[in-house]
Amino acid sequence: MTLTAAPETTSAYDLGPARALSCRECGHEVPLAAEFACPRCFGPLEVAYDFPKVTRASIEAGPKSIWRYRDLLPVPSTVQEHRNTEPGLTRLIEADNLARALGVRKLWVKDDTGNPTHSFKDRVVAVALAAARELGFSVLCCPSTGNLANAVAAAAARAGWDSVVLIPSSLEQPKIITTAVYGGTLLAVDGNYDDVNRLATELAAEHEDWAFVNVNVRPYYAEGSKTLGYEVAEQLGWRLPQQVVVPVASGSQLTKIDKGFTELGKLGLVEPTPYTVFGAQATGCSPVAAAFEAGHDVIQPQKPDTIARSLAIGNPADGPYVLDSVRRTGGSLGHVSDAEVVAGIRLLAETEGVFAETAGGVTVATTKKLLEAGKLDPDAETVLMITGDGLKTLDAVSGEVGPTATVPSTSVAVREALAKRR
Ligand SMILES: *Cc1c(COP(=O)(O)O)cnc(C)c1O
Ligand SMILES: [Zn+2]
């Protein structure tokens, strides 16, 4: 789709429609490999494609998972025949109750808690694993704020691979247990996510057969998030939403949803109607929202302090590209306090019966804030990305909710408790 020159050598790998890796900064292309930085300018590398003819019918005839979009992803065409997990095709919920509560005309919730390990990270890991297998790796690894740890350990278990997962030792207990249960090596590191990430980069250079999904195979991993955009469009009846609100950690997901929408338009799979991208962060880790507010192009790193730990990346790799997406589409970024995050979790649960983790609370609460500030259009059709499950962050709400009353086992006591409740 891009008009840059073809790489000098043809690829030794079958990664489907992927043609080369291309630098986001200078456009220089390198052959497909486990590379993530441009050899000329150190800019981030991204997958470039020669897409085959893809139709709505060919996608609809595919498997009920992200692999229905395999012709648009950097994976071998035989991907389904391997022992990959099969995330995707999660529910797109018509959220009429939440719409009324927020005062917007039409709202959908993309409920990605329905993935194999209950977060959107299963999408990116499935693509990374498929690419890593083709690139010759045999151990699946990551630095993680939690959900990625779950997804990597589970995907490796299913594929019969070893895994090495690095987490900050302060991580929520449930996310530690829900990673450890899959076996594999889990290293709790003294330090915050940015320390863990630095360590991973060092280890990736030392161990030839270790694929760190979000480090040395990051260009492939990142493409997995496009499937969120593809699915929303397909589930809306092959059209783009007018507004989308996306939680931002490294920023990869937001930029790839944008890329997914744009590709569908260019491939003629949807009308290329305009859409606006909004980003959501927790105030305690809001480096991208802060840069947006200040009108800066550069991200000033922050030291995270928020209950939204899955979004707690103080130095986000794709921050500048989030700013590009948001500015190009006429969107905005907002941030919310931890108290607002909890209120957002409760509002979504009480209106739609969806229990999201803290990142979901960030998305709902930021949506409310952007509406109140007049940044989001209440008359435009809006999709909220709910990316992780509340069962993994019970601590966030455990002090806030509980039984209405504890009663003896008599109907009189129940009547009294009900009277008191009113
Ligand atoms: C990782 C994560 C995100 C954000 O992902 P990025 O692509 O790093 O911005 C959002 N929600 C949840 C639940 C996550 O685990
Ligand atoms: Zn470059």
Side-chain angles (χ1 to χ4, degrees):
M1 268 171 38
T2 45
L3 292 173
T4 35
E8 288 107 44
T9 51
T10 47
S11 174
Y13 303 109
D14 168 20
L15 288 169
R19 182 189 73 232
L21 295 176
S22 154
C23 175
R24 288 200 71 149
E25 290 298 324
C26 75
H28 176 60
E29 285 197 358
V30 299
L32 296 168
E35 305 283 346
F36 59 102
C38 174
R40 292 215 177 136
C41 77
F42 299 109
L45 294 172
E46 183 175 48
V47 177
Y49 296 93
D50 282 329
F51 288 123
K53 178 79 192 138
V54 182
T55 63
R56 292 178 184 180
S58 70
I59 290 170
E60 286 165 357
K64 297 200 182 326
S65 71
I66 59 167
W67 303 129
R68 69 205 280 105
Y69 308 110
R70 65 184 179 276
D71 288 342
L72 306 174
L73 295 170
V75 296
S77 53
T78 55
V79 64
Q80 290 153 266
E81 290 150 33
H82 300 291
R83 291 183 61 81
N84 282 308
T85 48
E86 302 205 327
L89 274 202
T90 56
R91 304 185 296 169
L92 182 69
I93 300 170
E94 267 189 283
D96 293 345
N97 298 334
L98 181 60
R100 256 192 306 280
L102 292 174
V104 305
R105 197 171 60 76
K106 194 72 206 168
L107 196 66
W108 282 271
V109 162
K110 180 62 172 166
D111 179 14
D112 238 17
T113 68
N115 280 315
T117 69
H118 311 277
S119 88
F120 102 97
K121 290 296 197 302
D122 291 314
R123 297 174 183 272
V124 281
V125 168
V127 173
L129 171 60
R133 179 188 277 117
E134 177 67 19
L135 293 169
F137 290 97
S138 56
V139 183
L140 204 63
C141 313
C142 69
S144 171
T145 56
N147 285 315
L148 188 59
N150 291 179
V152 163
R158 171 143 178 79
W161 283 31
D162 280 336
S163 61
V164 178
V165 169
L166 311 177
I167 52 169
S169 54
S170 66
L171 207 65
E172 299 101 317
Q173 192 64 16
K175 285 186 179 160
I176 296 176
I177 294 166
T178 53
T179 301
V181 74
Y182 298 110
T185 303
L186 174 62
L187 298 173
V189 180
D190 293 326
N192 64 21
Y193 177 76
D194 297 290
D195 299 320
V196 175
N197 196 30
R198 218 170 305 123
L199 177 60
T201 309
E202 224 176 290
L203 293 174
E206 287 172 13
H207 297 268
E208 275 192 349
D209 51 344
W210 289 16
F212 279 87
V213 295
N214 50 342
V215 181
N216 52 343
V217 293
R218 185 176 181 85
Y220 309 97
Y221 158 95
E223 295 296 290
S225 287
K226 294 194 305 182
T227 60
L228 266 171
Y230 298 154
E231 275 178 31
V232 165
E234 183 180 350
Q235 290 171 321
L236 286 174
W238 291 109
R239 62 192 183 85
L240 302 179
Q242 292 173 291
Q243 302 184 128
V244 60
V245 187
V246 187
V248 172
S250 73
S252 174
Q253 181 187 169
L254 183 146
T255 63
K256 296 299 175 171
I257 288 170
D258 179 14
K259 188 180 183 191
F261 285 162
T262 301
E263 283 176 354
L264 291 182
K266 285 189 181 161
L267 290 165
L269 291 163
V270 299
E271 278 297 311
T273 51
Y275 59 87
T276 311
V277 181
F278 296 85
Q281 296 205 293
T283 304
C285 183
S286 50
V288 192
F292 181 79
E293 271 169 22
H296 292 163
D297 293 333
V298 205
I299 310 288
Q300 189 75 45
Q302 291 181 0
K303 201 162 183 289
D305 180 15
T306 168
I307 58 168
R309 296 216 188 92
S310 60
L311 302 180
I313 298 184
N315 190 10
D318 290 302
Y321 306 112
V322 168
L323 294 175
D324 289 348
S325 282
V326 166
R327 285 177 180 147
R328 193 195 82 245
T329 61
S332 182
L333 282 138
H335 57 88
V336 288
S337 70
D338 285 357
E340 290 172 305
V341 172
V342 173
I345 292 173
R346 295 185 65 179
L347 180 63
L348 179 62
E350 289 170 8
T351 54
E352 297 299 339
V354 173
F355 184 21
E357 71 144 85
T358 45
V362 168
T363 301
V364 172
T366 301
T367 300
K368 185 165 182 281
K369 210 167 211 178
L370 291 172
L371 279 163
E372 287 162 0
K375 304 267 169 59
L376 257 156
D377 178 359
D379 290 320
E381 297 187 320
T382 304
V383 176
L384 307 189
M385 295 296 178
I386 299 302
T387 48
D389 195 317
L391 289 174
K392 293 192 209 177
T393 59
L394 281 178
D395 276 0
V397 287
S398 61
E400 303 271 330
V401 295
T404 305
T406 304
V407 296
S409 62
T410 68
S411 63
V412 177
V414 169
R415 219 174 302 136
E416 279 171 6
L418 291 179
K420 231 178 267 166
R421 189 192 58 176
R422 287 183 203 112

